[in-house]
Amino acid sequence: MPSIPVKEAVAAAIKYFNDVMTVTNVRLEETELASDEKTWIITLSGLVPAEEPPPHPYDNLKTLSKLLNPDPSFERIYRLFTVDAGNGTVRSMKIRK
């Protein structure tokens, strides 16, 4: 049984996310206790400034991209965190695809 409840693991992951990246609008996506019950696996997402896309060769592609992403100045990224279930230390942050 983990000694750190899931809410504390999530809080540790959010703090870590904010400390290492410029991210806003952080959302909790998933939580899971690993089968050995020693690690919380937390998936968070957040908004980061989008990279400038290359120019579109056709204007209608610009219109389509605006429909798909109404605020192109930000993009949502997903990260997978492993948090020690014994002491709440964030052990890793990986890109979630």
Side-chain angles (χ1 to χ4, degrees):
M1 191 72 168
S3 51
I4 299 296
V6 69
K7 282 187 174 187
E8 287 182 35
V10 169
I14 290 171
K15 181 181 181 328
Y16 188 90
F17 201 16
N18 284 315
D19 287 349
V20 300
M21 298 187 73
T22 303
V23 62
T24 59
N25 194 11
V26 174
R27 294 181 186 168
L28 172 63
E29 301 292 344
E30 299 175 339
T31 65
E32 178 183 359
L33 183 60
S35 59
D36 64 4
E37 296 191 359
K38 294 181 181 180
T39 306
W40 285 107
I41 303 165
I42 312 290
T43 303
L44 300 175
S45 70
L47 293 178
V48 296
E51 293 180 15
E52 187 65 33
H56 292 296
Y58 304 106
D59 284 340
N60 59 351
L61 290 179
K62 285 182 186 178
T63 303
L64 179 60
S65 71
K66 285 181 184 178
L67 290 173
L68 296 174
N69 186 11
D71 186 0
S73 59
F74 290 94
E75 65 180 316
R76 184 157 296 277
I77 59 168
Y78 296 83
R79 295 295 184 264
L80 186 70
F81 297 84
T82 55
V83 179
D84 187 303
N87 61 22
T89 302
V90 176
R91 298 289 182 197
S92 70
M93 177 180 81
K94 297 180 181 180
I95 296 172
R96 172 77 190 269
K97 300 203 185 220

